[in-house]
Amino acid sequence: MTMKPTGREYTVERSDAEWREQLSPAEYQVLREAGTERPWVGEYTDAKTVGVYACRACGAELFESDTKFESHCGWPSFWSPLAGESVELLEDRSMGMKRVEVRCASCGSHLGHVFEGEGFDTPTDQRYCINSISLTLKPADPA
């Protein structure tokens, strides 16, 4: 799937060749082509480490571990991104349904989708369903 351009200027801009050089083929397929990793295979699906999840492509901080919750969907789930504009939300009508795509606001990389009204006992009733391969966990300092 080709990602639709947003017209937005990102603080981190790279050419397609630079992204391909920086990312593994699997990372590129998800982050730059809006792919999806298979459920239950990602390294962060069941992670409990305290820290901050950042964009694997550019390093921008996106989600805190204390907003991660067990949704049993096969991908890491968060009830809220970091404050401010750490993520960009776009309407996604691919796959024959209306969804909301989540992208990194710093580089425009695809992260996953956000869903609402599923009845999870979270403060926002939202589930940011994010591909593990789109993230890098920065563990909190043990100090």
Side-chain angles (χ1 to χ4, degrees):
M1 173 174 139
T2 304
M3 290 179 31
K4 90 177 165 186
T6 64
R8 178 178 175 150
E9 287 193 28
Y10 297 101
T11 55
V12 177
E13 295 272 350
R14 292 190 176 91
S15 69
D16 187 60
E18 289 171 318
W19 284 123
R20 286 181 185 278
E21 186 176 305
Q22 173 188 331
L23 302 169
S24 73
E27 291 167 348
Y28 182 88
Q29 195 263 333
V30 172
L31 288 157
R32 303 308 303 170
E33 296 181 323
T36 301
E37 69 186 338
R38 291 188 339 265
W40 307 109
V41 301
E43 66 181 303
Y44 302 127
T45 302
D46 297 317
K48 306 273 191 254
T49 305
V50 174
V52 175
Y53 290 87
C55 176
R56 190 172 299 242
C58 73
E61 295 185 350
L62 304 169
F63 299 93
E64 291 183 345
S65 60
D66 64 359
T67 65
K68 188 173 184 289
F69 70 100
E70 296 290 334
S71 67
H72 308 287
C73 69
W75 294 275
S77 297
F78 303 87
W79 52 264
S80 178
L82 286 171
E85 297 194 11
S86 60
V87 300
E88 173 181 29
L89 303 178
L90 301 162
E91 183 178 289
D92 175 3
R93 292 190 173 268
S94 67
M95 313 232 354
M97 64 183 98
K98 183 179 175 185
R99 302 183 294 174
V100 177
E101 180 186 8
V102 181
R103 291 190 189 176
C104 173
S106 294
C107 71
S109 289
H110 174 78
L111 303 171
H113 290 86
V114 62
F115 303 94
E116 288 189 83
E118 296 178 315
F120 288 106
D121 186 21
T122 61
T124 62
D125 198 22
Q126 292 181 315
R127 176 174 58 97
Y128 284 80
C129 183
I130 307 299
N131 292 285
S132 282
I133 202 167
S134 297
L135 302 170
T136 300
L137 175 59
K138 298 177 178 180
D141 291 320

